[in-house]
Amino acid sequence: MVKKNYKLNNHGFVLAETLVVSVFLTIMFTMIYSNYYPIIGEYEKRENYDDVDSEYAAYWIKELIEDPYYDSSNDNFKKLDTDTYFQFKCSDFTGSSKKNLCINLVKAFQINCISDNNCQIYVTKYQIGDPTGGTNNFKYTVKNAPKGTFSSGFKDYVAYLQNFKIESRFGSKYRVFLVIKHQEDYNNYLTYSNIEVNR
């Protein structure tokens, strides 16, 4: 009789032990999943930020902006005294050869354009944000722009960037932003890039 009771109690202990371990493992996996899954989501989102191809495209657009033939008549850079950005246009080149070079580079790099003179290339001041919370900066403009002005992906990209409050070691006063629309077979996606402009 005593042996029988011992066996029954032993089964109850194993069941309780299994239940405790199951609850513990469930809590552990829930904690791991809830902390790990957002990290994967952030990685997937940011893998399209400043990749090598986009930075290469940004470099050549920067070279065009630094060219003395660019913007000699319109003087867009003076607009940055009051505005937070202006759109780069190939039509702002005075010479036709530079203008054609610009159009060909924009097409070759697959920069997202509605037309040759309406591309998602934005020139801003070097410092794009205001740590004190001011409103006259590119970050604030992009965040609070009317719907359809900037894509949600571009808004996320600009919000992700630092303010660049420390001056450039190259003395750059401006920055250029690009949105590139990659079209490879059926896999179309956007990437984002920026680079400082020394002008």
Side-chain angles (χ1 to χ4, degrees):
M1 189 80 162
V2 176
K3 287 183 179 180
K4 210 171 192 184
N5 282 340
Y6 175 75
K7 284 184 179 177
L8 284 173
N9 289 341
N10 193 21
H11 286 303
F13 178 74
V14 170
L15 181 63
E17 192 177 50
T18 305
L19 196 63
V20 168
V21 170
S22 298
V23 168
F24 177 75
L25 287 175
T26 304
I27 291 169
M28 286 298 293
F29 283 125
T30 303
M31 288 175 59
I32 290 169
Y33 179 79
S34 62
N35 289 317
Y36 182 71
Y37 189 71
I39 293 170
I40 294 298
E42 286 297 310
Y43 171 76
E44 287 176 354
K45 186 168 74 174
R46 293 179 183 176
E47 70 180 342
N48 295 329
Y49 294 174
D50 299 312
D51 63 301
V52 175
D53 292 339
S54 302
E55 279 298 305
Y56 184 70
Y59 171 79
W60 283 107
I61 296 300
K62 165 190 115 74
E63 288 291 309
L64 287 173
I65 293 170
E66 290 176 350
D67 192 291
Y69 287 101
Y70 174 70
D71 198 40
S72 57
S73 56
N74 294 328
D75 211 1
N76 286 319
F77 289 93
K78 285 186 180 174
K79 294 176 187 174
L80 292 177
D81 292 338
T82 53
D83 298 337
T84 58
Y85 74 96
F86 68 85
Q87 263 186 293
F88 173 83
K89 298 176 187 171
C90 290
S91 60
D92 288 342
F93 279 98
T94 50
S96 61
S97 63
K98 291 283 184 181
K99 191 183 299 182
N100 290 334
L101 173 65
C102 176
I103 291 168
N104 290 331
L105 282 174
V106 164
K107 285 180 183 174
F109 291 132
Q110 299 178 333
I111 295 169
N112 199 21
C113 295
I114 297 166
S115 67
D116 286 335
N117 292 321
N118 190 9
C119 295
Q120 289 186 311
I121 304 172
Y122 308 102
V123 180
T124 71
K125 291 179 181 173
Y126 179 82
Q127 184 176 339
I128 63 167
D130 187 352
T132 62
T135 59
N136 190 24
N137 59 72
F138 188 59
K139 270 192 168 184
Y140 182 86
T141 301
V142 170
K143 181 181 177 184
N144 297 293
K147 191 175 181 180
T149 308
F150 302 102
S151 67
S152 60
F154 186 73
K155 286 183 175 185
D156 288 343
Y157 172 62
V158 173
Y160 156 78
L161 293 171
Q162 60 179 311
N163 291 327
F164 300 108
K165 60 183 180 181
I166 298 170
E167 287 186 19
S168 164
R169 53 190 178 142
F170 303 111
S172 302
K173 295 179 181 174
Y174 307 104
R175 186 165 290 282
V176 63
F177 287 83
L178 305 180
V179 179
I180 298 171
K181 187 175 185 178
H182 298 273
Q183 296 176 327
E184 299 170 2
D185 301 324
Y186 296 103
N187 186 19
N188 298 339
Y189 61 97
L190 297 175
T191 58
Y192 309 95
S193 182
N194 80 89
I195 195 169
E196 59 188 72
V197 176
N198 191 357
R199 185 177 166 103

